[in-house]
Amino acid sequence: MGDKPVAAAGTFGLGGELTVYRLGFGAMRITGEGIWGPPADRDQALRVLRRAVELGVNLIDTADSYGPEVSEELIAEALHPYPDGLVIATKGGLVRPGPGKWERDGRPEHLREACEGSLRRLRLDRIDLYQLHAPDDKVPFEDSVGTLAELREQGKVRLVGLSNVSVEQLNRALEIVPIATVQNRYNLTDRANEDVLDACEQRGIGFIPWFPLATGALARPGGPLEQIAERRGARPSQIALAWLLARSPVMLPIPGTGSVEHLEENCAAAAIELDPEEVELLGRVAA
Ligand SMILES: NC(=O)c1ccc[n+]([C@@H]2O[C@H](COP(=O)([O-])OP(=O)(O)OC[C@H]3O[C@@H](n4cnc5c(N)ncnc54)[C@H](OP(=O)(O)O)[C@@H]3O)[C@@H](O)[C@H]2O)c1
């Protein structure tokens, strides 16, 4: 896996069977405004995806609801036939009534149909990692997770993941099917899901922090993030990613962007190894 910038982040074995570099790419931002419709610059979106793979990214996160359908279609257009070892992680369980609007649908019939749609758009016989986008409180959680387990038994899905779940929900899902990853909101300034991260770390489950670049007030001029960034000739957003990578060996950040320049900057963060004191300082001031 040699001379690729993201290789510096090290690897993680998803479900103990698919090895990926720990710094991936989130393909939500390659759609239109409000994660709706086609991107303003389609060629640029295709370039971003191809450049991600050139930089070594082999974990791309998407969902049927991004666009909807647009993100998955662009991934297939840019990258199919897929290079060996590329893991495309998609999700089902959210529907889109309009721009910026998201609704949950965890009914088994919806999830089965959503998975078929993702297989078709991604031009795959089997999805490497299929994630329940969010629990739907109108549907028993066991029914939604059970449907993903069935899809796995049928060979349509290789590994099952969850998103936006609590530790209690993770434990209930583990009674039904092995869980390879959990994708919850987590970043330097929003650590509400610390308990879920710890549960994942204890069980060797990959933790995919969404909104990884948020730095909020920490990035203020003269603040600790800027000081560390300046000292290392890096951008505060790169330090935020480096902190996530240092926080846990199961952490798999998937920063998202529609810009090649930002992508390159984010991937370069894989090589930034923070000192234990910097990790501790950032963790403390942000907590
Ligand atoms: N499971 C869920 O419920 C859920 C929810 C949200 C997101 N996600 C997943 O998580 C991924 C990441 O989340 P996210 O997109 O919300 O947050 P993010 O990756 O932390 O931030 C993306 C935002 O930061 C900007 N950005 C990216 N790189 C930058 C850089 N180097 N310098 C300056 N600005 C930069 C992007 O704009 P530009 O395009 O202009 O670079 C975009 O506005 C998504 O792509 C998606 O796959 C999952």
Side-chain angles (χ1 to χ4, degrees), residues 2 11 86 100 107 117 170 203 208 211 235 279 282:
T11 59
L86 175 65
R107 291 173 302 131
L170 169 61
R203 294 164 176 78
I208 302 177
F211 204 22
R235 309 262 311 155
V279 175
L282 287 173

Side-chain angles (χ1 to χ4, degrees), residues 49-73:
L49 288 162
R50 294 187 182 120
R51 186 76 185 122
V53 170
E54 278 170 16
L55 295 169
V57 166
N58 56 10
L59 172 62
I60 296 182
D61 179 74
T62 184
D64 62 345
S65 51
Y66 297 165
E69 303 188 357
V70 173
S71 174
E72 290 182 332
E73 284 168 357

Side-chain angles (χ1 to χ4, degrees), residues 59-105:
L59 172 62
I60 296 182
D61 179 74
T62 184
D64 62 345
S65 51
Y66 297 165
E69 303 188 357
V70 173
S71 174
E72 290 182 332
E73 284 168 357
L74 287 171
I75 289 170
E77 184 178 339
L79 300 172
H80 190 274
Y82 301 115
D84 283 349
L86 175 65
V87 172
I88 299 170
T90 192
K91 315 181 198 78
L94 293 186
V95 290
R96 303 295 309 281
K101 297 199 170 106
W102 307 78
E103 283 176 8
R104 298 182 181 208
D105 189 345

Side-chain angles (χ1 to χ4, degrees), residues 85-134:
L86 175 65
V87 172
I88 299 170
T90 192
K91 315 181 198 78
L94 293 186
V95 290
R96 303 295 309 281
K101 297 199 170 106
W102 307 78
E103 283 176 8
R104 298 182 181 208
D105 189 345
R107 291 173 302 131
E109 56 271 37
H110 172 73
L111 292 173
R112 281 193 283 267
E113 208 178 295
C115 182
E116 290 300 333
S118 291
L119 283 164
R120 196 176 57 245
R121 282 185 294 278
L122 290 168
R123 302 181 216 163
L124 287 169
D125 298 325
R126 181 173 66 165
I127 292 165
D128 278 334
L129 175 60
Y130 195 62
Q131 307 156 93
L132 177 65
H133 210 143

